Amino acid sequence: MRVIAPGDFGVVTVGSLHAGTRDNVIGDRAVLELNVRAHSPEIRQKLLASIEQIVRAECPASSSPKEPTFEYHAVFPPTNNDAELTGRVHAALEAALGTEHVETMPPATGSEDFSRIPDAFGVPTASGPGAVPAGAAADCQPPSQVRARHHPTLEMGTSESKAEQTATTRFDIVGLLVFMITGALLSNFAVNMTIGMLIVSQQMLQLARPERFDAWHAGLLTLGFAIAVISCIRIGEKLLQRFGPRKPMMWGAMILGLCALLLMQTQLLVGTYVVLALIAYVLFGLGLAFYAMPSTDAALSNLSPAQSGAGAGIYKMASSLGAAIAAAASLAIFTGVMGSGFTTGWIFEMQGIQSNARVRTAGMLTMGFNLLLTLLALLSVALTVPKGRKEG
């Protein structure tokens, strides 16, 4: 059935059909999604009316118990380019490129909402590729449809641009590989691994003196850590602005090393150890606050804007992996030493109750492992992060 004249343009595309969920169940619903394109509102309206007519007729023919419903979305009227304005652009292009290098293209069927702007303000406009009314004059096409067959600048620059893009891509890959082995990234991984100190020290207190420490009371001791991180994070930013990234990163690693040393003193009486643990947890938060902002700056400052997104992702991955591996590594050492029965009685005399010597020894050696991690972080910063004050 023909509803539009042969010379008129109109297209109906069946883009999507969804009906039913199983092969042996008759679906209670069918959704048909269509796309309609035309060069004039009149043709479009004819197409829509025909679609509704056909669907309404098919429903009772198929014994549908309900009437069909129609929803319209993403509806954009044709773009009517101003004849005078488009003609002036056409003439300007011919004057600049030569008549032989300019070609008028036929009406296009692109889908865009530009036509709503001139309709709203009532101003003459000329848009890029889009639908125009059938029968429009040849010089009333959008200016971007008046194309040049040859553009000297673009043609001459093609091979050079590809070479530059290839070189840039190679540079980006090399830059990211260098970034992945920099001291900032390695130290970031090591610093985040020291989170195992918090986990193991909490476990050790609960196992060594269960009558005094449950999970709640042991966890309360780490409150100073959270307060220190939140309240001192801006200090790291100020230190970065004044000294650059290297010194604050080294100071942060040193503070974390001091934290590990304090938590290693498991040979002391529990009351004394709790005091040292309270101080160590505050220092842990302070060290991370000193380290975080300068470390991020040192890791990403040498990357190009195109690399910064990937670099930030790799940096965050190092942080997350360090924290995740920390729990596994520190707990593995702690439980392994505790189960082996090894004690340090021949080096350190455990004060107080001796029945928990294995637990305290395991805690001491685990803190020693974390101390080595802080030394690794400190060494990587000292060897790879350049000296100097941050510019800008």
Side-chain angles (χ1 to χ4, degrees):
M1 180 180 66
R2 180 180 297 278
V3 297
I4 62 174
D8 292 333
F9 177 85
V11 173
V12 177
T13 302
V14 180
S16 174
L17 173 60
H18 299 277
T21 57
R22 298 291 301 273
D23 59 351
N24 62 343
V25 178
I26 297 176
D28 62 345
R29 173 183 178 84
V31 178
L32 181 66
E33 294 182 319
L34 308 178
N35 181 273
V36 175
R37 294 174 186 258
H39 285 167
S40 71
E42 294 77 18
I43 299 299
R44 175 180 173 275
Q45 195 57 44
K46 284 184 178 181
L47 293 175
L48 295 179
S50 297
I51 291 171
E52 291 195 15
Q53 181 183 14
I54 294 172
V55 173
R56 292 186 189 280
E58 286 295 331
C59 284
S62 302
S63 300
S64 173
K66 293 183 179 181
E67 286 289 319
T69 58
F70 299 87
E71 297 180 2
Y72 298 91
H73 55 87
V75 177
F76 305 117
T79 298
N80 297 305
N81 295 295
D82 181 75
E84 181 183 356
L85 177 60
T86 307
R88 287 160 55 188
V89 174
H90 192 287
L93 287 173
E94 288 186 338
L97 302 175
T99 304
E100 68 278 10
H101 293 152
V102 179
E103 179 181 323
T104 299
M105 296 179 65
T109 58
S111 178
E112 43 80 25
D113 59 358
F114 176 82
S115 57
R116 298 189 182 278
I117 299 176
D119 289 347
F121 291 95
V123 295
T125 56
S127 174
V132 297
D139 60 354
C140 293
Q141 307 305 315
S144 60
Q145 290 185 347
V146 183
R147 65 184 182 186
R149 293 197 186 97
H150 172 68
H151 194 304
T153 303
L154 294 178
E155 293 296 331
M156 292 173 60
T158 300
S159 59
E160 182 179 357
S161 299
K162 289 182 179 179
E164 291 176 353
Q165 290 174 1
T166 302
T168 302
T169 302
R170 290 174 180 171
F171 175 77
D172 288 348
I173 295 174
V174 172
L176 285 174
L177 290 176
V178 172
F179 165 77
M180 292 177 67
I181 60 175
T182 57
L185 191 67
L186 177 60
S187 66
N188 175 52
F189 181 78
V191 163
N192 278 278
M193 280 197 69
T194 60
I195 197 70
M197 289 191 289
L198 296 183
I199 301 172
V200 170
S201 61
Q202 298 292 293
Q203 288 274 53
M204 186 196 65
L205 286 172
Q206 295 176 61
L207 293 174
R209 299 299 298 271
E211 74 282 2
R212 293 187 58 176
F213 295 98
D214 55 15
W216 166 253
H217 290 93
L220 284 178
L221 300 178
T222 63
L223 187 60
F225 162 73
I227 295 175
V229 169
I230 295 173
S231 60
C232 297
I233 192 67
R234 293 298 300 273
I235 296 179
E237 183 180 352
K238 298 296 182 183
L239 292 175
L240 170 64
Q241 295 173 353
R242 182 170 182 179
F243 299 103
R246 188 172 186 267
K247 287 184 178 181
M249 290 173 68
M250 295 183 67
W251 295 337
M254 290 176 183
I255 294 173
L256 292 176
L258 179 59
C259 172
L261 281 173
L262 292 176
L263 292 176
M264 280 184 68
Q265 310 309 309
T266 58
Q267 78 279 3
L268 301 176
L269 294 173
V270 65
T272 305
Y273 185 81
V274 166
V275 174
L276 294 180
L278 287 170
I279 298 173
Y281 294 150
V282 174
L283 289 176
F284 194 93
L286 182 64
L288 289 182
F290 274 38
Y291 178 88
M293 190 70 70
S295 172
T296 305
D297 180 86
L300 303 180
S301 60
N302 293 325
L303 294 178
S304 66
Q307 298 170 321
S308 59
I314 295 172
Y315 185 84
K316 178 61 179 176
M317 181 180 65
S319 301
S320 301
L321 284 177
I325 294 174
S330 293
L331 286 173
I333 295 173
F334 179 68
T335 55
V337 174
M338 187 171 58
S340 69
F342 175 77
T343 64
T344 57
W346 54 280
I347 302 177
F348 296 103
E349 181 181 355
M350 294 292 177
Q351 300 178 13
I353 299 174
Q354 298 300 307
S355 59
N356 58 14
R358 288 188 302 172
V359 176
R360 295 157 73 183
T361 299
M364 179 184 293
L365 294 179
T366 305
M367 298 308 155
F369 167 71
N370 283 272
L371 177 60
L372 292 178
L373 291 175
T374 63
L375 295 177
L376 174 63
L378 182 62
L379 183 63
S380 63
V381 172
L383 294 179
T384 63
V385 177
K387 299 179 181 179
R389 184 174 177 176
K390 178 179 173 63
E391 298 296 334

